[in-house]
């Protein structure tokens, strides 16, 4: 149990720690809305990592080979979603700053979870990453423990990002601070979407 579990923990941190568009989105949701919504988004990302770890353990190289022909369309779809999200975030921030400050909550915890889960699942590199780790370690021995370890590691990191976003949000509670964080988040997400397109 301990060997596959620890391998899963290392794999989970390996895929979760590099802060990309999803990390920025999670921190931004915590800062602009609430820790609860940011944490739900983080758990959505961790669930996707767990699903891909499970797929890799069960399917291994066959899954990676099957996804390879559609990797480019998935990359384009992911970039399109990111660009739409960047525009939506910026538009919503500008619109909210022009309106009297009401407790507007454009995202609920359930919607944040489902949205980030779907967005993270659009990344074919994640399943290829997990498949390579599983095959490199000699197959799917202790597969359930590997998946649990990967999920828990990813979840702990995503919740740390959400908590960090929540702390930043406490310092930037004014309308202007929230506008700035939303616009910066939007620019970073758009930049990462363009980078995703450039690698295609």
């Amino acid at each position: 149990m301990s060997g596959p579990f620890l391998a899963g923990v290392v794999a989970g941190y390996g895929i979760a720690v590099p802060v990309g568009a999803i990390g920025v989105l999670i921190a931004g949701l915590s800062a602009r809305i609430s820790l609860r919504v940011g944490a739900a988004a983080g758990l959505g990302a961790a669930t996707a990592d767990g699903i891909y770890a499970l797929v890799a353990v069960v399917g291994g190289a066959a899954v990676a080979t099957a996804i390879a022909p559609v990797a480019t369309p998935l990359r384009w779809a992911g970039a399109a979603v990111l660009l739409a999200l960047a525009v939506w975030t910026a538009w919503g921030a500008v619109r909210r700053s022009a309106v009297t400050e009401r407790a507007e909550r454009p995202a609920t915890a359930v919607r944040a979870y489902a949205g980030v889960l779907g967005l993270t699942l659009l990344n074919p590199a994640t399943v290829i990453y997990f498949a390579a780790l599983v095959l490199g370690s000699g197959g799917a021995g202790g597969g359930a423990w590997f998946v649990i370890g990967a999920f828990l590691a990813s979840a702990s990191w995503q919740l740390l990002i959400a908590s960090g976003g929540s702390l930043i949000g406490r310092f930037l509670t004014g309308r202007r601070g929230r506008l700035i964080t939303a616009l910066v988040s939007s620019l970073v997400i758009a930049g990462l979407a363009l980078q995703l397109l450039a690698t295609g």
Side-chain angles (χ1 to χ4, degrees), residues 149-177:
F151 170 77
L152 291 177
S154 179
S156 68
W157 182 257
Q158 307 300 351
L159 291 174
L160 180 65
I161 290 174
S163 299
S166 179
L167 290 174
I168 292 168
R170 289 181 186 172
F171 291 112
L172 299 172
T173 54
R175 190 184 309 171
R176 182 175 297 173

Side-chain angles (χ1 to χ4, degrees), residues 15-26:
I15 197 67
V17 166
V19 177
I22 298 298
V24 170
L25 175 61
I26 292 166

Side-chain angles (χ1 to χ4, degrees), residues 95-118:
R95 195 187 85 210
R96 278 193 300 276
S97 72
V99 178
T100 54
E101 196 159 321
R102 284 178 283 178
E104 187 179 357
R105 294 288 185 254
T108 65
V110 172
R111 282 168 50 195
Y113 174 87
V116 173
L117 171 62

Side-chain angles (χ1 to χ4, degrees), residues 51-130:
I51 289 170
Y52 270 150
L54 177 64
V55 168
V57 165
V58 172
V63 172
T65 303
I67 284 181
V70 294
T72 298
L74 283 177
R75 188 166 34 252
W76 280 86
V81 170
L82 286 174
L83 286 171
L85 181 62
V87 170
W88 179 80
T89 300
W91 178 77
V94 170
R95 195 187 85 210
R96 278 193 300 276
S97 72
V99 178
T100 54
E101 196 159 321
R102 284 178 283 178
E104 187 179 357
R105 294 288 185 254
T108 65
V110 172
R111 282 168 50 195
Y113 174 87
V116 173
L117 171 62
L119 190 57
T120 308
L121 286 173
L122 287 172
N123 184 6
T126 307
V127 72
I128 294 168
Y129 166 82
F130 279 119

Side-chain angles (χ1 to χ4, degrees), residues 3-34:
F5 177 78
L6 289 177
V9 167
V10 171
Y13 281 128
I15 197 67
V17 166
V19 177
I22 298 298
V24 170
L25 175 61
I26 292 166
L29 286 171
S30 286
R32 292 191 315 274
I33 302 172
S34 71

